[in-house]
């Protein structure tokens, strides 16, 4: 009986990335043979159906032995012997990504030269064959700048911060002696982003959502997906960006991977600069720590997509199946190593992955925890206790995109609209508030309307008085629900605004609330969020119960003091 | 270095349920030792870190051998030797579920007697030790009725439909000769439901969402989660049910499992009768086919929760992390076995699980495909091509809960409100439409408002004229967003209705649209759905583009024919 897939894969390396690839392979009955030194390497532990190969993934003979028993070769680590891979490629062996790509990526400077040729934005770099050229880099880039080993670097190793011209000797001795070096201009970034890209054998590329990565001691600590990069793009100045930050980051990552050869998954790390610019940092030619979240949070995990890509199968959807996810790495830390995992048992949406590593060295990647949620806010609240338990100092507030955007035509509307902000603050909804005038800032309004849903906004509240065009005009520009608040002016009691806002033509609805009642606009926004997010549905239910209790208390009071003595409290 | 969990589990049976339990165990570095006959049983294939035991899970000696090497024993199948389990239990071995529970469940009649004592609703049954009692069953239950083997039955085997008193001899010979039998009243059910329940060592029970199961030749074919049982509960008559069908089904399942001893996951199969009643069919004391979907669709899979339960760890959240999921079993079918799996590669949200079974017998469970989606509608559209490819006749429309509920105070409002129904039909939103009058059917309105969100409704559209209390009163009863459509009456041009609907007091918002403009109410409902469901956001974007194109075409026409010859087309 034919199975679904009969071709065999061989993989260089059997660590945690190989282990998670093995999980995906088992589910599809795909045969994976693992080359790694330990008999009980993490990946080998969960594959009992064929003999693996015991040896270093840098050992040419072992690689040849592996090649003899499989149809396709891939890697879970880029620090492999490419000479033998080139040799095997010449003999017609299928290897993904290609030895050329692995070789290029092994040299971070060559990688940069290649990507620069393809127009990928990166921090300026300079080859540093000698001390003079390092001093030259200081002249050109200013201090501090980064001095980096071209090869063999990972998790921050092989990097040195040169703070003044006196540091050069130190830098030389700190980095591997004799290692080829290059200098890189200091990237004063706002945040670090990453995108996993999968490339098919025919060169088609498809990217996963942009994530934010948080490093600690140069090792990946936290990942948030999708990256919360939507706040504060409502200004006319920012609107010069025709695309959102997330769209631009995906484009950079896809273009970079499209420039390489061979199939598989690639991890692309980037910097988001203060001015909104995206600079590529480096590429890993394999599944990556910043893509672990895809197992629980995306339609097809990076591991399954890597297998599909190298076998020439259709690529799986890279879309997220949950609204938000976070990932926390579990690093070796003595008795405290599994503290977060123990807590994770009681946290909804948390899934623990342990890698089966026998020895628990300090700082070693022992596992990770992925947390999913109905909103990034929920993901934060689920992650926070674990992160704080590991390090109480680690409480920096994480980024959160606004779900509701409150806009108004004039600052004179703020006295009416601030009630909406108060309600959202009290209920705990992330929101933004700004001025957008249909008549005085039409360009800003246009970009605001067109971009809102791309920034993660779910509901727009627009307040306006008099002719009150803002809610309807924004509704004409966005596919999102727009709530209109008629603001009462000095004449006509607000009926002018009400009719302007509510009497929209067929085709473009505005959800209109009572005159001056921005409280209800905010509550309606919460109801809209709650129609898909159970946490907000619950918050609305609690709000309604409290509202009922308040009135019931007034009834008790009225019964107690009698109607004649009853005093009506002001709102 | 201490690991997260050091206790060892032994499992009787190494089939696909054991394999998926093994997957969960590997992720937590929990040691699982498998007792089953084949050296390469599905579960054994993915565990290379300890020796397994080769032997039948009905072999007492082998079970004792397993017991000697582990801390806790569990099962992936209930047809095991309970005598030795009782013996081991007496010696103090931890066994989950308890041998008593497994023994009780092995006898389906005893199971029913036990559950009946605990007040669980079931079809009437009668012990049938002889032919006379079988004839007696025909008298009491009428024909047809079910004759069932008390023991050893699964996937429809051991059941016989007795259509007349003449069938009795046939039934006897068809069922295993000498097997103890019982008769069961024919359950003319509308649908079959199932609930996975997890029971902790302390007896705490927690249930997964209710799913709908579709059987084919008595074997599980499809599963839909959550079960779409929310339609048509808006009538006063139905409102006599204080709880939704889903709430009642979960309660029956939880109560049934609470009456049993021992920890672990239990699969509870139920019938939903035409009159809305829930009858329990039978219980499996282990992970179950109807719970496979939990791997991709829930926070904690049934497999991980089974492990957690038997180890006395905190139970994981049973909530779904995606809005909807479906599952299709892959049964052995010669060359066509993997047809659906091949298609699944190109279907977003589809995940294939193959069980590593070497031999592909006709009808054997070889794997399954889980499909997740942002709505049940999307899950249907993703599943349909695979189901039809396997069997083109298999196109029965599956059940779909309404996402939008359109209600109006009077049938005279229908001429205004039907435009909303037309828009939702055109855009493809599942909806319901009915009459709910605040003034004439206040009880119906109360139940409608309180139950809507429990039936899966996401948005309510309420149309009303004159005093127009319906939208506001419904908004006071539901936490969902309510869209109000002011219907123009014979006087006051609809301004009376508009003001009644829009001028709601602080605390209870109604999203009001223009007078008589139910088209915009429907479009607003789609925007609300689209704020969380990308498919609807896309549909709204397309709608807006088409609307723009229509106007641009009119502009071309106006330019062409000139203003003097231009005829305004009526809507």
């Amino acid at each position: 009986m034919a199975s679904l897939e009969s071709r065999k894969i061989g993989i260089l390396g059997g660590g945690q990335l190989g282990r998670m690839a093995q999980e995906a392979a088992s589910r599809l009955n795909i045969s994976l043979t693992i080359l790694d030194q330990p008999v009980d390497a993490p990946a080998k532990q969960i594959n009992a159906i064929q003999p693996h190969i015991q040896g270093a993934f840098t050992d040419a003979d072992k690689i040849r032995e592996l090649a003899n028993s499989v149809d396709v070769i891939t890697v879970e680590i880029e620090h492999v012997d490419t000479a033998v891979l080139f040799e095997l490629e010449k003999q017609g062996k299928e290897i993904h990504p290609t030895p050329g790509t692995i070789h290029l990526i092994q040299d971070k400077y060559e990688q940069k030269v290649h990507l620069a040729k393809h127009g990928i934005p990166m921090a300026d770099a300079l080859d540093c064959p000698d001390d003079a050229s390092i001093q030259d880099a200081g002249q050109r880039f200013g201090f501090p700048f980064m001095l980096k080993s071209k090869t063999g670097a990972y998790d921050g190793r092989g990097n040195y911060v040169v703070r003044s011209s006196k540091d050069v000797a130190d830098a030389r001795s700190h980095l591997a002696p004799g290692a080829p070096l290059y200098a890189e201009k200091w990237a004063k970034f706002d945040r670090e982003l990453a995108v996993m890209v999968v490339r098919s054998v025919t060169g088609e590329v498809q990217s996963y959502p942009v994530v934010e990565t948080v490093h600690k001691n140069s090792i990946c600590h936290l990942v948030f997906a999708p990256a919360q990069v939507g706040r504060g793009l409502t200004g006319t100045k920012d609107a010069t960006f025709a695309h959102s930050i997330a769209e631009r980051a995906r484009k950079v990552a896809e273009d970079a991977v499209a420039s390489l050869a061979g199939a598989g998954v690639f991890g692309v790390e980037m910097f988001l600069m203060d001015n909104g610019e995206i600079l590529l940092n480096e590429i890993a030619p394999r599944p990556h720590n910043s893509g672990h979240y895809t197992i629980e949070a995306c339609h097809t995990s990076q591991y399954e997509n890597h297998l599909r890509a190298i076998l020439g199968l259709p690529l799986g959807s890279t879309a997220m199946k949950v609204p938000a996810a976070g990932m926390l790495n579990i690093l070796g830390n003595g008795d405290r190593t599994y503290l977060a995992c123990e807590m994770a048992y009681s946290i909804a949406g948390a899934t623990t992955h342990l890698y089966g590593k026998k020895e628990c060295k300090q700082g070693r990647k022992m596992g990770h925890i992925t947390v999913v949620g109905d909103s990034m806010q929920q993901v934060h609240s689920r992650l926070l206790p674990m992160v704080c338990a590991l390090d109480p100092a680690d409480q920096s507030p994480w980024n959160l995109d606004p779900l509701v955007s409150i806009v108004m035509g004039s600052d004179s509307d703020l006295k009416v609209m601030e009630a909406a902000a108060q309600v959202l603050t009290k209920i705990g909804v992330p929101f933004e508030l700004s001025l957008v005038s249909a008549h005085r800032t039409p360009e800003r309004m246009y970009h605001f309307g067109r971009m809102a849903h791309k920034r993660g906004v779910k509901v727009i509240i627009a307040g306006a008085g008099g002719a009150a065009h803002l809610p309807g005009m924004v509704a004409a520009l966005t596919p999102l629900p727009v709530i209109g608040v008629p603001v009462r002016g000095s004449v006509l009691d607000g009926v002018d605004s009400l009719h302007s806002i509510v009497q929209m033509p067929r085709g473009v609805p505005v959800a209109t609330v009572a005159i001056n009642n921005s409280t209800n606009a905010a509550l309606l926004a919460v109801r809209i969020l709650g129609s898909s997010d159970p946490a907000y549905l619950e918050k609305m239910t609690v709000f309604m119960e409290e509202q009922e209790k308040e009135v019931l208390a007034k009834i008790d009071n009225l019964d107690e003091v009698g109607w004649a003595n009853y005093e009506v409290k002001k709102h």
Side-chain angles (χ1 to χ4, degrees), chain A:
Chain A
M1 180 57 227
S3 62
L4 180 61
E5 179 57 55
S6 58
R7 284 168 299 167
K8 295 179 174 201
I9 298 174
I11 187 167
L12 306 188
Q16 66 265 23
L17 301 176
R19 182 179 170 103
M20 289 182 269
Q22 176 63 61
E23 272 185 16
S26 295
R27 273 200 294 92
L28 293 169
N29 288 359
I30 292 172
S31 162
L32 203 63
T33 303
I34 300 150
L35 167 61
D36 206 345
Q37 190 63 59
V39 186
D40 59 356
K44 291 180 182 175
Q45 293 173 16
I46 60 169
N47 181 341
I49 43 173
Q50 66 243 326
H52 298 294
I53 297 177
Q54 202 183 331
F57 44 73
T58 47
D59 181 332
D61 283 339
K62 294 291 181 180
I63 295 175
R64 283 189 203 100
E65 187 186 333
L66 178 71
N68 280 333
S69 63
V70 300
D71 301 293
V72 184
I73 286 185
T74 189
V75 300
E76 63 129 35
I77 183 162
E78 58 273 31
H79 303 298
V80 296
D81 178 350
T82 50
V84 65
L85 292 180
F86 278 116
E87 169 200 312
L88 291 166
E89 187 184 41
K90 262 187 212 144
Q91 291 163 17
K93 200 81 207 168
E94 233 183 303
I95 303 169
H96 291 294
T98 61
T101 293
I102 298 171
H103 191 256
L104 177 72
I105 282 177
Q106 283 179 342
D107 186 319
K108 287 163 75 177
Y109 185 70
E110 288 307 318
Q111 188 189 139
K112 287 187 76 107
V113 170
H114 167 88
L115 293 172
K117 259 188 236 156
H118 287 83
I120 305 299
M122 286 170 299
D124 290 340
L126 191 71
D127 193 9
C128 292
D130 50 34
D131 281 8
S133 53
I134 299 176
Q135 295 291 4
D136 188 34
Q139 295 291 318
R140 277 182 55 182
F141 299 149
F143 295 95
F145 69 88
M146 291 294 282
L147 195 62
K148 295 184 168 186
S149 288
K150 290 183 177 178
T151 57
Y154 68 99
D155 283 352
R157 279 172 249 201
N159 289 353
Y160 194 89
V161 181
V162 183
R163 301 193 181 279
S164 77
S165 59
K166 282 179 274 174
D167 282 1
V168 172
D170 272 2
R172 265 245 165 267
S173 66
H174 179 267
L175 298 168
L181 302 175
Y182 72 103
E184 201 171 87
K185 192 174 170 182
W186 190 257
K188 200 175 157 293
F189 59 83
D190 175 51
R191 283 185 250 171
E192 289 185 87
L193 306 177
V195 172
M196 298 305 307
V197 179
V198 56
R199 189 180 197 282
S200 75
V201 283
T202 57
E204 175 207 344
V205 291
Q206 211 170 298
S207 62
Y208 283 88
V210 183
V211 302
E212 180 176 351
T213 57
V214 179
H215 288 77
K216 209 171 168 179
N217 306 323
S218 299
I219 294 178
C220 180
H221 172 44
L222 292 164
V223 171
F224 296 102
Q228 303 287 292
V229 288
R231 190 175 281 276
L233 258 193
T234 58
T236 310
K237 186 170 143 271
D238 305 303
T240 50
F241 291 123
H243 298 279
S244 66
I245 287 175
E247 285 173 311
R248 288 185 291 117
R250 279 177 97 144
K251 179 86 168 59
V252 167
E254 288 178 6
D255 288 352
V257 173
S259 80
L260 301 170
V265 152
F266 295 76
V268 182
E269 296 184 280
M270 287 167 283
F271 300 124
L272 170 60
M273 308 304 283
D274 284 335
N275 64 358
E277 221 184 329
I278 306 284
L279 298 182
L280 187 142
N281 178 18
E282 61 182 55
I283 301 180
R286 50 164 170 83
H288 190 259
N289 201 159
S290 64
H292 288 350
Y293 81 95
T294 60
I295 298 175
E296 277 79 22
C298 292
H299 283 145
T300 314
S301 77
Q302 64 169 343
Y303 301 101
E304 180 170 334
N305 251 340
H306 184 70
L307 300 177
R308 290 193 192 199
I310 65 175
L311 288 172
L313 296 169
L315 302 183
S317 162
T318 53
M320 287 183 76
K321 64 182 180 187
V322 292
M327 191 231 46
L328 168 66
N329 265 345
I330 302 301
L331 305 182
N333 187 21
D335 285 345
R336 296 170 58 80
T337 303
Y338 298 107
L339 192 61
C341 301
E342 276 160 27
M343 297 175 74
Y345 279 137
S346 304
I347 294 173
T351 303
T352 298
H353 292 252
L354 296 179
Y355 305 148
K357 294 186 183 175
K358 300 294 174 202
E359 215 185 332
C360 178
K361 288 186 207 155
Q362 189 69 21
R364 192 179 197 191
K365 289 177 181 170
M366 301 301 288
H368 73 268
I369 297 171
T370 298
V371 171
V372 300
D374 295 317
S375 65
M376 186 52 84
Q377 201 180 11
Q378 192 177 52
V379 166
H380 285 180
S381 68
R382 288 172 172 177
L383 266 175
L384 193 65
M386 295 186 284
V387 172
C388 291
L390 293 179
D391 182 356
D394 204 355
Q395 301 192 26
S396 52
W398 300 316
N399 297 299
L400 210 49
D401 280 349
L403 298 180
V404 178
S405 185
I406 305 176
V407 293
M408 59 204 80
S410 159
D411 58 357
S412 64
D413 300 327
L414 185 58
K415 65 184 184 305
V416 168
M417 298 303 291
E418 66 183 1
Q422 284 156 0
V423 169
L424 295 180
T425 303
K426 194 180 161 199
I427 293 183
V429 178
F431 70 95
E432 61 182 8
L433 184 150
S434 195
L435 304 184
V436 174
S437 168
H439 305 129
R440 284 160 295 195
T441 64
E443 188 189 355
R444 175 172 164 80
M445 180 187 69
Y446 178 84
H447 289 294
F448 169 77
R450 285 298 194 213
M451 293 288 282
H453 66 287
K454 296 185 183 179
R455 295 191 292 114
V457 170
K458 306 277 186 199
V459 189
I460 295 169
I461 297 175
H469 291 176
L470 182 67
M473 283 311 302
V474 169
L477 291 162
T478 182
L480 293 174
V482 176
I483 301 171
V485 181
V487 173
R488 186 166 61 179
S490 52
V491 291
L492 297 175
D493 259 355
V495 174
D496 47 348
S497 324
L498 171 61
H499 290 179
S500 288
I501 293 173
V502 78
Q503 286 296 107
M504 287 292 288
R506 249 169 259 278
V508 184
V510 169
T512 310
V513 295
I515 295 164
N516 270 14
N517 199 335
S518 78
T519 297
N520 275 6
L523 292 172
L524 180 56
V526 176
R527 285 181 182 229
I528 290 172
L529 296 174
S531 77
S532 66
D533 183 338
Y536 285 116
L537 192 78
E538 177 58 25
K539 283 180 177 187
M540 182 45 60
T541 304
V542 168
F543 170 86
M544 292 169 79
E545 283 164 4
E546 278 171 6
Q547 187 169 251
E548 189 171 15
K549 270 185 217 151
E550 261 177 45
V551 178
L552 293 175
K554 287 182 184 179
I555 294 167
D556 286 346
N557 187 23
L558 181 56
D559 287 348
E560 205 174 309
V561 305
W563 61 268
N565 299 314
Y566 188 86
E567 275 185 75
V568 179
K569 276 187 203 142
K570 285 204 178 147
H571 241 87

